[in-house]
Amino acid sequence: MVPREKFVDPGFEEFAYEDAPLSIGEGQTISQPYIVALMIEKADLDAGDKVLEVGTGSGYASALISRIARHVYSIERHERLAVQARERFEKLGYRNIDVRVGDGSKGWAKAAPFDAIIVSAGAPEVPAALKEQLDLGGRLVIPVGRGEEQRLKRIMRTGATTFEEEDLGGVFFVPLIGEDAWTAAHPMYTAAAPSSRPEETPYKLIAAVAEEFPSADDRSFAALFDRFGESRIVLLGESTHGTAEFYEARAAISRHLIEHHGFNMVAVEADWPDAAAVDRWINGQPSKGDPPFSRFPRWMWRNLEFSRFLGWLKRDNERRKALHADPVRFYGLDLYNMSGSIRSVLDYLENVSPETAEIARERYGCLSPWQSDPATYGRAVLTDAYRSCEAAVLKQCTELLARSLDDTASDGHDFLNAAQSARLLAAAERYYRIMYYGGSQAWNLRDTYMADTVEHLLDFHGPTAKIIIWAHNSHIGDARYTDMAAARDELNLGQLCRQRFDGMTSLIGLGTHSGEVIAANDWDGQAEKKQVNPSLPQSYERLCHDSGKPRFLLDLAADEELHASLVEQRLQRFIGVIYRPETERLSHYMSTSLSRQYDAFLWFDETRALSPLMAPESGTSDPETFPFGL
């Protein structure tokens, strides 16, 4: 028996077994027992079934279903209700229920197909995604109708595109809010759950909570980040790899955290050997090997904005040395020499088969989790020539990697470099094999190594070590609350840092509405200054833009109402080293839950492009001014 009194709000226990709906907050209700029983009966559940419930609410229906079916997947739009339901399931020992916050009208594609789907909210029409996620013979029970004319429907899938429908009678449910259902402006919601600030839509809430600043150069800007000073790991993101304001802001934040909060490491989304050369330079050691960051995408780290920060690090380390204090160290989290390895693959394939080289170039362009250019995947059927190159490519990549790591082997950090090199070489063949064919495994292996590297660095430097990480939003925003996890089974660095260093990690995303960016059209292409399209109306960026504030920090934990309003899945833009404005919606947006993905969000409404620096000719670098001619 499922104790219904455990699923109602305090004070309502005496009414728990009345055959009537009860309010549970957020404009939602726990359905009357009769209706719950009717829907479960009409779903025709079996002990081996996998069931999707849309509208977790209190969790009561999920709990009942879990006592009959093998596993229940439940989606709730309101984070508070989802959290409460999880807590109830935990206390009652119901282990076969998974709950997520999201758009129920889209179903749960990752877990599909389902033997049954039960929807506990009324839709204007049956969402196509829910029908598509039914298994053959699967049953969907859902209230459908406009206004007060809702009918309870039972829909059974009889074939790939065929369904049978049965009308079970009139009902009245709260509206299903989602992209394929009602909008959040449904009058029943606004009447049932007035906001304490009813006139404030999400963009108005953003405007009310936003902490404005005049520029990243202003002293007041960096002080905004004192609230993250007690963290051991602070991850600073960017929504493009080519925006000047993002680099300038991260530099200002990093300087402040180093000077005032004891951070002693900076790690970036860059190759380990390249970063090791920079670490030598900021610590006054001679350069050796090839100039760092001399391969595609050069502008990502070889730019004026970043070089100014490195110049500050060098001067600060000179000051520390005079005081006999430990220096700030600089590291790269990408142990794989990824860009060099890709270049090696492309060079080899160009000589063997230009056609397969073009396929490889397009696949590498889609290693980023937000890239989904249909043309690329249409050409991704690998040829025999492509497969025949695999062994030679793997050999070439691992040899290249070994040479790159040898160049870092004697710079005063011998043990750390040797240990990291050994870790990488032990897994090199697996990594390059995965990278060669693309897919989520390549992304997951890469970000897992990044997280492992962070952990190794903190262990190596001791319990007082604190690290600042510069990486793209797709790496630092918790993947569990994005399409990366929901649609592609991907994880990322921010997620892993939260999981491994619970309570000691701060994730800060950065975004923009429009302006200019440095990016290429294709992998290994020429850097171009491109105009950034204005953000899409359905996006989080448009909410920030509509706030009317040009620059601000949004502390996503500072205001409970704001946090709740930004839980809903919306589009978010991701531009990496490739920007394709002509296919922007497909190539550069994915759905996310902003307030769960980050701890804070830093906004620049209009931005300008980075200022790339020319790579020096081989053998002409000056040890005194290396690496960027400062």
Side-chain angles (χ1 to χ4, degrees):
M1 174 182 171
V2 174
R4 194 168 188 254
E5 70 273 16
K6 302 293 186 183
F7 294 84
V8 299
D9 286 350
F12 287 84
E13 291 89 347
E14 65 180 293
F15 307 109
Y17 291 94
E18 290 186 5
D19 191 25
L22 297 172
S23 173
I24 56 174
E26 307 290 351
Q28 308 299 299
T29 63
I30 178 173
S31 299
Q32 67 185 102
Y34 168 76
I35 289 294
V36 175
L38 174 66
M39 296 177 77
I40 292 176
E41 177 191 1
K42 295 303 182 180
D44 195 19
L45 301 182
D46 190 59
D49 283 350
K50 180 170 63 172
V51 181
L52 171 66
E53 187 203 26
V54 176
T56 311
S58 68
Y60 178 61
S62 290
L64 289 173
I65 297 167
S66 76
R67 302 303 88 195
I68 303 170
R70 173 172 58 88
H71 202 95
V72 182
Y73 294 84
S74 191
I75 303 176
E76 173 54 54
R77 189 171 75 94
H78 299 281
E79 183 180 26
R80 183 183 68 82
L81 297 181
V83 171
Q84 288 179 345
R86 287 194 196 102
E87 292 173 350
R88 287 167 177 150
F89 300 151
E90 183 68 22
K91 289 179 181 177
L92 293 170
Y94 300 156
R95 310 296 185 196
N96 61 333
I97 308 174
D98 286 334
V99 181
R100 61 172 285 200
V101 176
D103 181 354
S105 72
K106 292 295 189 182
W108 196 325
K110 180 182 172 182
F114 299 98
D115 301 293
I117 300 176
I118 297 175
V119 183
S120 301
E125 299 173 349
V126 179
L130 299 184
K131 294 174 70 174
E132 291 169 1
Q133 291 173 26
L134 281 175
D135 205 350
L136 187 63
R139 293 80 59 198
L140 167 62
V141 180
I142 179 173
V144 180
R146 297 178 180 274
E148 297 184 2
E149 299 299 320
Q150 288 183 0
R151 309 293 295 181
L152 190 62
K153 303 281 187 176
R154 180 180 188 269
I155 298 165
M156 176 181 287
R157 186 166 203 163
T158 57
T161 59
T162 57
F163 301 83
E164 290 181 355
E165 182 174 309
E166 179 183 0
D167 189 325
L168 302 176
V171 290
F172 186 74
F173 280 75
V174 296
L176 175 64
I177 302 298
E179 187 175 337
D180 292 344
W182 298 103
T183 70
H186 192 286
M188 182 175 176
Y189 268 147
T190 56
S195 167
S196 61
R197 292 178 279 191
E199 78 287 355
E200 295 193 352
T201 54
Y203 74 86
K204 291 183 178 178
L205 286 171
I206 290 172
V209 176
E211 299 176 61
E212 294 184 84
F213 54 89
S215 74
D217 294 330
D218 193 90
R219 187 174 300 177
S220 64
F221 168 71
L224 291 173
F225 297 86
D226 285 332
R227 73 197 72 192
F228 305 112
E230 296 302 313
S231 298
R232 197 173 183 202
I233 307 172
V234 172
L235 296 96
L236 304 175
E238 59 182 357
S239 60
T240 88
H241 280 320
T243 297
E245 281 82 356
F246 297 160
Y247 284 72
E248 291 169 344
R250 293 187 298 187
I253 297 166
S254 299
R255 289 194 302 265
H256 187 78
L257 293 177
I258 290 168
E259 288 179 325
H260 299 281
H261 296 284
F263 284 79
N264 60 349
M265 287 184 281
V266 177
V268 301
E269 181 189 340
D271 295 339
W272 178 271
D274 287 323
V278 171
D279 185 67
R280 286 193 296 272
W281 185 78
I282 65 172
N283 282 288
Q285 298 171 1
S287 62
K288 59 179 180 177
D290 294 331
F293 312 125
S294 57
R295 297 171 298 272
F296 178 86
R298 295 184 183 91
W299 74 87
M300 185 172 160
W301 298 115
R302 191 177 283 276
N303 59 71
L304 181 62
E305 292 78 8
F306 183 59
S307 71
R308 287 170 176 161
F309 175 62
L310 293 186
W312 179 86
L313 282 177
K314 182 177 178 65
R315 293 189 298 273
D316 192 59
N317 277 347
E318 290 170 350
R319 179 187 63 81
R320 289 168 179 263
K321 184 177 181 180
L323 297 173
H324 305 289
D326 290 335
V328 175
R329 305 305 302 233
F330 185 86
Y331 298 108
L333 297 182
D334 269 350
L335 289 176
Y336 320 111
N337 201 356
M338 187 176 186
S339 59
S341 299
I342 291 175
R343 178 69 265 162
S344 178
V345 173
L346 296 178
D347 287 345
Y348 177 80
L349 292 178
E350 287 286 2
N351 292 326
V352 175
S353 170
E355 181 181 351
T356 57
E358 183 61 24
I359 295 174
R361 182 174 286 105
E362 292 186 358
R363 290 186 69 82
Y364 290 143
C366 286
L367 282 174
S368 301
W370 60 90
Q371 296 279 194
S372 55
D373 185 342
T376 297
Y377 290 103
R379 295 189 60 194
V381 178
L382 302 181
T383 65
D384 289 339
Y386 196 87
R387 292 190 182 91
S388 68
C389 295
E390 180 179 358
V393 165
L394 293 176
K395 182 174 184 291
Q396 191 174 34
C397 285
T398 52
E399 288 177 353
L400 173 76
L401 177 67
R403 290 197 304 271
S404 297
L405 292 171
D406 282 344
D407 288 340
T408 70
S410 59
D411 63 354
H413 247 39
D414 292 350
F415 176 79
L416 181 61
N417 275 314
Q420 295 294 77
S421 300
R423 291 185 188 103
L424 174 59
L425 290 171
E429 183 180 2
R430 176 172 175 247
Y431 172 74
Y432 287 121
R433 189 183 304 276
I434 290 172
M435 189 180 74
Y436 185 65
Y437 285 106
S440 63
Q441 284 184 308
W443 177 271
N444 289 347
L445 182 57
R446 181 185 177 200
D447 271 51
T448 300
Y449 264 108
M450 286 188 181
D452 290 345
T453 302
V454 170
E455 194 165 359
H456 295 320
L457 290 172
L458 289 171
D459 288 343
F460 180 81
H461 286 282
T464 62
K466 302 173 76 172
I467 189 168
I468 303 163
I469 296 169
W470 294 23
H472 196 273
N473 284 348
S474 58
H475 291 293
I476 71 102
D478 194 323
R480 292 173 293 181
Y481 308 111
T482 74
D483 275 349
M484 294 170 65
R488 292 183 291 275
D489 200 26
E490 291 171 338
L491 48 76
N492 71 355
L493 174 62
Q495 168 190 342
L496 294 172
C497 285
R498 271 184 172 175
Q499 291 172 330
R500 298 181 187 185
F501 297 90
D502 186 30
M504 296 184 286
T505 298
S506 296
L507 311 181
I508 304 170
L510 280 75
T512 186
H513 168 68
S514 63
E516 292 181 328
V517 68
I518 294 292
N521 291 322
D522 299 287
W523 186 268
D524 211 33
Q526 291 295 317
E528 299 179 23
K529 183 181 289 187
K530 294 169 172 272
Q531 190 68 36
V532 178
N533 289 337
S535 57
L536 292 179
Q538 307 91 337
S539 67
Y540 277 115
E541 285 85 356
R542 183 57 64 91
L543 288 181
C544 291
H545 172 70
D546 288 347
S547 73
K549 309 287 186 180
R551 291 169 297 276
F552 58 80
L553 175 68
L554 206 59
D555 188 334
L556 295 168
D559 185 283
E560 184 175 338
E561 191 169 359
L562 174 72
H563 184 277
S565 74
L566 301 183
V567 164
E568 181 181 355
Q569 292 274 326
R570 295 177 183 267
L571 295 176
Q572 184 180 160
R573 179 159 55 191
F574 298 83
I575 298 171
V577 296
I578 295 169
Y579 183 40
R580 293 168 175 158
E582 66 280 2
T583 60
E584 184 163 41
R585 171 60 184 88
L586 287 173
S587 300
H588 300 290
Y589 280 91
M590 64 179 169
S591 293
T592 70
S593 171
L594 194 79
S595 60
R596 304 189 77 195
Q597 183 187 5
Y598 308 110
D599 297 299
F601 194 66
L602 184 58
W603 180 252
F604 296 89
D605 195 67
E606 186 172 357
T607 50
R608 66 189 195 283
L610 283 173
S611 305
L613 297 173
M614 295 296 292
E617 296 296 327
S618 179
T620 64
S621 57
D622 180 350
E624 294 304 317
T625 59
F626 182 77
F628 296 127
L630 297 172

